[in-house]
Every structure is written in C-alpha cells, then in structure tokens.
Amino acid sequence: MLSRLSTATALRRGIATSAQNNAKVAVLGASGGIGQPLSLLLKNSPLVSKLSLYDIAHTPGVAADLSHIETRASVKGFMGPEQLAECLKGCDVVVIPAGVPRKPGMTRDDLFNTNASIVASLTSACAKHCPEAMICIISNPVNSTIPITSEVFKKHGVYNPNKIFGVTTLDIVRANTFVAELKGLDPARVTVPVIGGHAGKTIIPLISQCTPKVEFPQDQLEKLTARIQEAGTEVVQAKAGAGSATLSMAYAGARFVFSLLDAMNGKQGVVECAFVRSDVTESPYFSTPLQLGKKGIEKNLGLGKLSPFEEKMVAAAMSELKASIKKGEEFAKNFK
C-alpha cells in the first residue's frame, strides 16, 4: 500500500517505516546558514517526531515557520542559554552546526578561537542534560572540535566514544558528485569513502575503493583529490564573503543524521564515515567507514586496502591532524 502513496502523501500522513521512529532531535545553531536548511530537512523526515531548535537569536521565528509544514515532527524553538536545558531534555540525537562560518582567505583553523568556546559550552550542556544522546558535530574546525567534545564529556564523567561524531559527510558527498561528473555516472549510485580529517590535506578520498570501480590517470587523480580537499574553499570564494558551504552542508548533515536514526531503529548494514576516537592509525581521532548500530558505532571498518598514493596521503596528514587534535584537547582542559 505504502508504495502506491506519493512521498508527499506519506510524509503528510506521518507514515513511519517502523514503530520505533519517535526520535527527538535537537539542532543547536538552528537559526544560522546551516541550521535553517538542516532543520527543514529534518522536519521533512518521518524518522523525526520531535524537533528541538536552539540558538541565541531568531529561533522562535524559525520554529514557527517550520511548524506549519505538513509533516508529523512537532517543532519547538528555544532561545538563549537559560532555555538550553529544556531544549536538550530527552534528546536522542543532537546536531551542532553552531558557530561562525569561514570568509575568503580564512582556513578552518582560523575559526578555532570563536567556535571552540561555542562547542565547549554547548557540549557541556549536552553532557549535563542528555548524556546518552548521539552527538553530531558540524562546527569547524572538526579536527579540533571533536577532541574538545570528548574532553568535555570526560570531565562530566559521561564519555562514550561510540556516540560522538565529527560530521565529515560533506567530503563524501562532494567526492561522489565530482567522480560522477567526470565519469558521466549518476551521483546517487557512486560511493567514495573519505578518511582522515575534515580540513585540507587531512581529507583523504579513497578513489581506489570507489563503488562502482573507477580509474583515472595519475595527473587527473591528483587534480580530483585536490578539488575534493579544497571544495569548501571553492564555495567560500564563490560566495565572496557571504558565507561558506551551508546548503550542501545541511544536506550532508541530514544524510548523516538519517543514517544514524535508521541504525538506531535497528536497520542493518548502515555505514557512514565520520571523524571519531580511533586506534586505526597513530592519530587518536580519525575518520573511517563506521558500521552504525542502536548504540552508535557498532564497528570501525578501518582503512581497507589503500593504493600507494593514498598511503602517502595518510602519512602526510598525520602531523597536521595530531596538532589540531592536541590544540582541541589543550583548549578543553583549560575551559571553565
């Protein structure tokens, strides 16, 4: 019967794929450039039953606007630190795109001073008010904000490395799109694992492991890899000071959250890459394909077989990755 209904009708009637689809999801930074389109995509999903939107400004308006959409998720807006606890109570998943975006000439690391404090404050509230929730961090620099989140949860005595994710999904989305463009394929059918971190040369696309199998001459492979690594900067420059990747990031963030919710609902074989605590390489945090389950990471699937070109990229990323991680950890230790 469901197959005959249009998607719009199914969404309108709130038809869920299983009885367990009663997830409460919070977006922290919901009024921003990523937060608004991300909240729209989450509101549109039958996997979400309650959507909690938090920001320091404009959230009542965003929530009122979204609440008129004919899908089953109820929407509530919360504004200012005094309402944060109420926003987080009972959350299953918390997504954090809060912070300032890049402007032309800035690296992700230039965002550190502002965004580190924002992430530390917000994750501290998560550790207090929804310690069991899955935490998905979008705020850059992810290579530092994930170690910050881990240290904050450790301080509160509720750290579970299987539930803290740096959302690197946009790197995978971009790799799939760019490979598909070059090969004339449907991007929805292309899967390129992207490992490492989420900045510049720490972004390591594994074109050798692409499904379907694709091959490029070395010079084209190097250009493609560089484009994937610098794709964020491509958008920052194209927006000419008006922000960074917001719409594609919202799409990628929603994709990751939907995968996580599917896995939490018992769907088998859900795999996504994310930047997490890891012993796969010498870096204490590293993104690899992860099998997701009811309690977060079920199994780290590791690096797989790397080409010599990819092995070199992993080695070249190590010093920058470790430095960004250490910077995050040091910040969290001194954060009050």
Side-chain angles (χ1 to χ4, degrees):
M1 180 62 193
L2 182 56
S3 60
R4 293 188 187 178
L5 293 169
S6 72
T7 310
T9 312
L11 284 170
R12 198 171 296 162
R13 294 188 188 173
I15 291 171
T17 48
S18 88
Q20 289 172 295
N21 292 353
N22 285 314
K24 180 177 179 183
V25 180
V27 179
L28 310 186
S31 303
I34 296 166
Q36 288 201 41
L38 173 60
S39 299
L40 172 62
L41 292 167
L42 295 172
K43 170 71 174 116
N44 211 25
S45 169
L47 294 167
V48 179
S49 64
K50 289 182 182 170
L51 193 54
S52 237
L53 307 182
Y54 173 82
D55 215 318
I56 54 170
H58 310 305
T59 357
V62 175
D65 196 355
L66 287 174
S67 72
H68 294 180
I69 292 170
E70 54 187 1
T71 56
R72 76 185 192 114
S74 63
V75 186
K76 273 193 178 171
F78 301 86
M79 191 165 76
E82 60 288 344
Q83 293 187 2
L84 183 53
E86 196 192 337
C87 168
L88 293 171
K89 270 185 195 132
C91 279
D92 301 295
V93 178
V94 179
V95 200
I96 308 184
V100 294
R102 278 200 291 163
K103 292 200 162 58
M106 288 173 86
T107 66
R108 287 183 181 90
D109 197 50
D110 291 334
L111 304 173
F112 184 90
N113 291 336
T114 307
N115 288 0
S117 302
I118 293 170
V119 169
S121 300
L122 293 174
T123 54
S124 186
C126 293
K128 282 181 204 152
H129 303 295
C130 55
E132 295 294 311
M134 306 288 173
I135 309 294
C136 307
I137 306 285
I138 290 171
S139 313
N140 274 314
V142 166
N143 293 358
S144 301
T145 54
I146 283 298
I148 288 170
T149 303
S150 297
E151 294 304 316
V152 165
F153 269 70
K154 282 179 196 170
K155 269 188 186 174
H156 287 87
V158 291
Y159 176 57
N160 181 346
N162 295 326
K163 291 187 170 187
I164 295 173
F165 303 91
V167 180
T168 61
T169 317
L170 184 50
D171 298 324
I172 291 89
V173 166
R174 286 166 167 159
N176 295 347
T177 302
F178 300 164
V179 166
E181 280 172 1
L182 289 171
K183 291 294 185 187
L185 299 165
D186 174 358
R189 296 182 185 280
V190 176
T191 305
V192 180
V194 181
I195 63 167
H198 183 60
K201 69 177 183 189
T202 70
I203 298 168
I204 303 161
L206 303 182
I207 308 291
S208 73
Q209 292 181 27
C210 176
T211 321
K213 190 156 179 52
V214 293
E215 284 185 358
F216 295 98
Q218 188 61 27
D219 61 334
Q220 197 180 13
L221 178 63
E222 285 173 18
K223 272 188 196 150
L224 170 62
T225 300
R227 187 180 176 207
I228 294 163
Q229 290 174 332
E230 294 306 323
T233 305
E234 190 179 303
V235 177
V236 169
Q237 287 171 347
K239 288 196 174 181
S244 56
T246 53
L247 301 170
S248 52
M249 184 62 247
Y251 166 84
R255 173 183 143 166
F256 184 80
V257 171
F258 297 153
S259 290
L260 199 48
L261 290 172
D262 274 339
M264 289 163 75
N265 286 335
K267 186 175 175 182
Q268 299 296 304
V270 179
V271 175
E272 288 282 0
C273 296
F275 188 66
V276 297
R277 183 84 205 178
S278 171
D279 55 10
V280 168
T281 67
E282 64 192 74
S283 173
Y285 294 84
F286 202 82
S287 181
T288 41
L290 308 167
Q291 190 169 308
L292 303 174
K294 289 190 175 188
K295 294 181 177 173
I297 301 170
E298 207 162 72
K299 189 181 181 192
N300 191 322
L301 301 177
L303 303 174
K305 189 176 185 323
L306 303 182
S307 71
F309 176 60
E310 291 158 356
E311 280 175 355
K312 269 188 204 153
M313 285 196 286
V314 170
M318 280 302 153
S319 62
E320 184 183 325
L321 259 182
K322 286 182 186 166
S324 298
I325 291 163
K326 189 163 189 284
K327 189 173 179 179
E329 288 175 338
E330 293 298 320
F331 176 87
K333 280 175 188 146
N334 300 316
F335 183 77
K336 293 288 179 277

